[in-house]
Amino acid sequence: MDFVKRTIELALQNVEEGGRPFACIVTRDGEVIAESPNLVAQTSDPTAHEEVLAIREACKLLQTEHLLDCEIYILASPCPMCLGALYYCSPKKVIYVTTREDYAPYYKDDRKYFELETFYDEYSKSIDKRRLPMVQQEEVDSIKVYQRWRELNNQSK
Ligand SMILES: [Zn+2]
């Protein structure tokens, strides 16, 4: 199977069904383990990106949170959320078909605190310079959660 063509096909089918123009396929040893289109439009879930959904399905199926021997195909270069998810599952390789620059003339997804074009720039700023209001509210008891976790999990430093 041509995984790039399958990724395009899956995304195009999603567009025809009212979904957004993105899809992801997780493969291992030349076989599809899991695949998903973007389901944000269908579910009103802003985290229902194709990478997150396909990674979840693959991990559930393979009973692991590490997709070390998998290759992941995505139609577009990932957003920061999905890039994070890709780092967490640590696949052998990520193959993307289009770049943000390629599809920018046809697709917009601007939000209150970012535009697709500025998303990565936003992340590289210090917290007080970002558009998303975010503050730390310290509490001494919070560290007890981690201390307890360490007690129960015998983690050595
Ligand atoms: Zn994403």
Side-chain angles (χ1 to χ4, degrees):
M1 186 192 279
D2 184 326
F3 298 127
V4 169
K5 285 206 163 67
R6 176 64 193 144
T7 305
I8 296 169
E9 187 182 283
L10 192 62
L12 192 56
Q13 187 189 333
N14 197 47
V15 168
E16 296 295 344
E17 292 167 0
R20 298 200 178 154
F22 303 98
C24 174
I25 295 183
V26 179
T27 71
R28 190 178 64 173
D29 302 329
E31 280 182 33
V32 175
I33 300 294
E35 60 176 31
S36 182
N38 180 299
L39 292 178
V40 173
Q42 293 93 324
T43 60
S44 301
D45 175 358
T47 68
H49 287 196
E50 56 288 359
E51 296 94 325
V52 171
L53 299 175
I55 288 167
R56 275 187 193 158
E57 195 184 317
C59 290
K60 202 171 168 184
L61 214 94
L62 300 173
Q63 293 286 295
T64 176
E65 60 190 84
H66 308 282
L67 300 178
L68 302 175
D69 52 358
C70 293
E71 297 193 341
I72 300 185
Y73 290 77
I74 44 183
L75 185 64
S77 52
C79 76
M81 174 178 73
C82 294
L83 182 63
L86 289 164
Y87 266 87
Y88 267 105
C89 72
S90 322
K92 192 160 66 178
K93 199 201 288 186
V94 176
I95 300 99
Y96 64 97
V97 186
T98 64
T99 66
R100 207 169 299 273
E101 290 74 27
D102 292 333
Y103 71 76
Y106 313 101
Y107 182 81
K108 289 270 173 272
D109 189 16
D110 296 344
R111 301 294 165 120
K112 184 174 179 185
Y113 301 125
F114 73 91
E115 295 77 35
L116 288 180
E117 293 82 359
T118 62
F119 209 169
Y120 276 98
D121 299 334
E122 186 67 15
Y123 271 59
S124 60
K125 293 174 188 168
S126 58
I127 290 172
D128 61 315
K129 298 275 190 309
R130 291 181 195 155
R131 288 156 67 184
L132 176 70
M134 188 168 150
V135 295
Q136 183 179 16
Q137 192 170 325
E138 288 182 89
E139 168 56 58
V140 297
D141 283 345
S142 61
I143 206 68
K144 289 180 184 166
V145 179
Y146 303 97
Q147 290 165 341
R148 182 63 182 144
W149 188 86
R150 189 171 164 181
E151 272 173 26
L152 293 174
N153 291 277
N154 286 322
Q155 290 273 308
S156 50
K157 261 211 165 160

